[in-house]
Amino acid sequence: METTLRGVGVSHGVAIGEVRHMGTAVLEPPAKQIPAEDAEREQGRARQAVEAVAADLIARGNLAGGEAQHVLEAQAMMAQDPELMTDVERRIAVGSSAERGVYDAFASYRALLANAGEYLAGRVADLDDVRNRIVARLLGVPMPGVPDSDEPYVLIARDLAPADTALLDPALVLGFVTEEGGPTSHSAILARALGVPAVVALPGAGELAERTVIAVDGSTGEIFVEPSAEKRAEMESAAAARKAALSASTGPGATSDGHKIPLLANVGGPGDVPAAVEAGAEGVGLFRTEFLFLDDSERAPSEEKQVAAYRAVLEAFPEGRVVVRVLDAGADKPLDFLTPADEPNPALGVRGLRSLLDHPDVLRTQLTALAKAAEGLPVHLEVMAPMVADRADAKAFADACREAGLGAKFGAMVEIPSAALRARSILREVEFLSLGTNDLAQYTFAADRQVGAVSRLQDPWQPALLDLVALSAQAAAAEGKSCGVCGEAASDPLLACVLTGLGVTSLSMGAASIPYVRATLAKYTLAQCERAASAARATDSAEEARMAAQAVLSGE
């Protein structure tokens, strides 16, 4: 009998197939005492396992490339954390086996992360995956991971670690469903990059029996269990129509009456550029530069290394717009040379621009490298600061750009409610705004962007969030300046229409979402988008907002 479940759709598309479950996690190793004379040997085993797992994560990242590579390299650094390894060796020295020492040390570190604030708590799933891989290697059992199958299937998991998501084979994994996670979790971001339909935050997903046939709608978040022939035909027909519409839609982003909305790509480094170009991105709306700095947490990369990496991206978009975000360190991206190690709540502490203003030499080197990378290129370079709170922040960043001789436009990210509320004041100092809807939602609703239990508050359709977007866009229009969106909200085709109606002037997203957004925008006039935006803002919940916008655009 057909039943319907609802989670959070995070990656477009339809998948219909049999359920396969993720391999079970490693069991807790026994707490047996080892002789003192075996301690050194066990410590060596632990170090070897850690290095092997770190090397495997890096190798997986090299194979996957792009955003996945940066995520997996960060996991490898987590495995090799010197304080964590010291704790492992201490536990072994007092009688634990290598596998038990690793298990207990990671458990202790896990508790610290879980209580360390929003961003770090959101990395618990990544830490668990690293622990499981190390313990599995020590026990000599298979690594936890995706099931072996010769037939395509829909993957079900409690959560998916980046190492698993990064190397999913879209030819076999038709889609995936997780019990935990949220729309801005690593797995959701990587699913969109892969173009795999995905639904997260679905309670009870693990109870779906192996080989049950389900239909997954990655746009609506709906799961149809044992779908009828009619439902399957309906979903397959809709998917085919969507695919045809995507193929027919080309060129710059615009509404049906010609209102231009440039569609840009979010990239994490040169590896993401080919997919962006293939998708027809009109430029880059968010170039994350953290990948350069995460290779070595003890020192910043040289100016020469930065110039080469930036130029590789800038050269790919001649005459296009490339918006670079300067280093956004802190919270879940701590750097030993830059961020405090003892903050009680790093997500609310010294991160983003605050870290850079405390270390002006790091900011100056990055701005100088960007200026040199753009020399002689016809690209339209723009540089923006993360975590701008007020006009003083904006002025400090603008002054730093001028002192570095940066000829590009400079702007501010709107990720903190205060920046949206005082956007016009901030625009007296900078030339554009870019809304990071992921963090803006997190700080507006006090809802960790990685925790499935509060995913409804991370929904970018929340009317309060739409109000803040509208305030920012109106302030930019009043100042004659631009206001884009570079958060994951832009990847939702229906919401892209609403954002356009709110006055947003450009949309930036993962490359895989660009064709969907382009095709959807082209179906509606600017006036229809504006009416949909007004209808959405007049509601009291994310679901009501989505339904109200859909009703307007469908002519109901």
Side-chain angles (χ1 to χ4, degrees):
M1 179 179 176
E2 179 181 311
T3 57
T4 304
L5 307 174
R6 182 181 289 277
V8 179
V10 297
S11 185
H12 307 300
V14 169
I16 302 175
E18 292 186 349
V19 163
R20 295 286 188 281
H21 285 270
M22 193 75 176
T24 55
V26 177
L27 296 176
E28 180 178 349
K32 61 181 182 181
Q33 288 290 108
I34 62 166
E37 60 268 23
D38 290 345
E40 187 173 343
R41 177 176 61 82
E42 290 295 288
Q43 289 172 340
R45 287 181 63 226
R47 285 192 294 270
Q48 289 174 0
V50 165
E51 291 305 317
V53 167
D56 178 63
L57 290 168
I58 290 171
R60 285 169 176 259
N62 290 336
L63 283 173
E67 183 73 26
Q69 182 173 4
H70 312 142
V71 172
L72 293 176
E73 286 175 350
Q75 263 197 300
M77 290 176 61
M78 185 181 285
Q80 296 170 304
D81 184 286
E83 291 186 12
L84 192 53
M85 195 62 226
T86 298
D87 191 20
V88 170
E89 293 183 340
R90 179 186 62 78
R91 292 172 187 273
I92 294 173
V94 295
S96 289
S97 64
E99 46 268 36
R100 187 69 205 192
V102 167
Y103 187 90
D104 288 341
F106 271 76
S108 177
Y109 195 36
R110 187 187 198 279
L112 289 174
L113 284 186
N115 295 304
E118 297 174 22
Y119 269 110
L120 291 178
R123 295 296 170 262
V124 164
D126 295 3
L127 185 71
D128 288 347
D129 180 60
V130 172
R131 176 204 64 200
N132 290 347
R133 291 174 184 278
I134 297 172
V135 173
R137 180 170 288 275
L138 287 166
L139 291 174
V141 301
M143 291 285 180
V146 297
D148 290 328
S149 176
D150 295 328
E151 299 295 325
Y153 58 91
V154 177
L155 181 62
I156 305 293
R158 180 177 178 182
D159 200 356
L160 278 173
D164 299 311
T165 318
L167 295 183
L168 290 179
D169 182 354
L172 284 176
V173 181
L174 302 172
F176 67 75
V177 180
T178 66
E179 291 192 58
E180 299 182 353
T184 60
S185 66
H186 277 156
S187 290
I189 293 170
L190 293 178
R192 285 188 284 270
L194 288 167
V196 177
V199 172
V200 301
L202 180 69
E207 298 172 12
L208 291 168
E210 193 84 0
R211 295 191 177 277
T212 301
V213 175
I214 64 172
V216 179
D217 189 325
S219 299
T220 66
E222 291 175 307
I223 306 292
F224 301 95
V225 183
E226 299 291 1
S228 64
E230 291 78 12
K231 173 58 71 175
R232 293 178 68 154
E234 174 190 327
M235 294 183 72
E236 287 169 350
S237 174
R242 186 180 297 167
K243 186 175 181 180
L246 293 179
S247 299
S249 177
T250 58
T255 58
S256 62
D257 56 342
H259 177 73
K260 293 182 178 179
I261 296 291
L263 302 182
L264 312 171
N266 293 343
V267 304
D272 292 337
V273 168
V277 173
E278 184 179 352
E282 298 168 61
V284 173
L286 172 61
F287 178 9
R288 306 180 184 94
T289 59
E290 289 74 43
F291 76 101
L292 276 169
F293 293 80
L294 293 175
D295 287 342
D296 185 348
S297 67
E298 296 182 359
R299 62 183 62 83
S302 67
E303 182 181 301
E304 293 74 19
K305 182 177 180 179
Q306 293 190 53
V307 170
Y310 302 149
R311 195 170 181 89
V313 175
L314 297 178
E315 287 176 337
F317 296 95
E319 305 293 342
R321 178 186 180 201
V322 176
V323 184
V324 179
R325 181 180 70 191
V326 294
L327 176 62
D328 185 13
D332 64 331
K333 293 168 285 191
L335 295 172
D336 293 343
F337 69 89
L338 195 68
T339 51
D342 56 352
E343 289 185 305
N345 193 339
L348 300 181
V350 182
R351 60 165 296 198
L353 180 62
R354 299 167 187 173
S355 295
L356 294 174
L357 294 179
D358 281 350
H359 298 80
D361 54 323
V362 175
L363 177 58
R364 187 182 309 111
T365 298
Q366 185 169 26
L367 294 175
T368 301
L370 284 166
K372 290 183 178 179
E375 286 178 0
L377 296 179
V379 70
H380 300 286
L381 174 63
E382 301 183 13
V383 182
M384 61 186 181
M387 300 300 292
V388 171
D390 56 16
R391 184 173 180 174
D393 278 351
K395 183 179 187 305
F397 180 65
D399 287 346
C401 289
R402 294 188 190 97
E403 289 170 10
L406 193 67
K409 287 185 176 181
F410 34 88
M413 291 197 71
V414 177
E415 301 165 283
I416 303 173
S418 64
L421 294 168
R422 301 290 295 173
R424 194 160 185 180
S425 171
I426 288 172
L427 283 165
R428 303 281 165 79
E429 304 293 343
V430 296
E431 299 172 82
F432 68 93
L433 299 177
S434 184
L435 287 142
T437 51
N438 304 347
D439 270 322
L440 185 57
Q442 175 169 250
Y443 292 122
T444 298
F445 297 104
D448 188 336
R449 53 190 283 189
Q450 301 292 334
V451 176
V454 293
S455 61
R456 76 173 186 85
L457 296 172
Q458 266 293 325
D459 193 324
W461 281 93
Q462 285 285 354
L465 189 66
L466 299 181
D467 287 344
L468 293 176
V469 173
L471 280 174
S472 302
Q474 290 163 5
E479 293 294 321
K481 297 179 179 179
S482 63
C483 176
V485 168
C486 65
E488 291 300 316
S491 65
D492 179 338
L494 182 62
L495 185 51
C497 294
V498 168
L499 294 172
T500 298
L502 291 174
V504 166
T505 56
S506 67
L507 299 168
S508 189
M509 64 208 76
S513 298
I514 290 175
Y516 290 93
V517 173
R518 182 192 294 118
T520 304
L521 272 176
K523 292 163 56 177
Y524 305 109
T525 65
L526 175 60
Q528 285 176 299
C529 293
E530 290 172 340
R531 289 197 296 273
S534 294
R537 289 183 66 194
T539 64
D540 294 314
S541 73
E543 183 59 27
E544 290 174 356
R546 185 183 290 106
M547 292 174 62
Q550 182 65 68
V552 169
L553 294 177
S554 62
E556 296 177 7

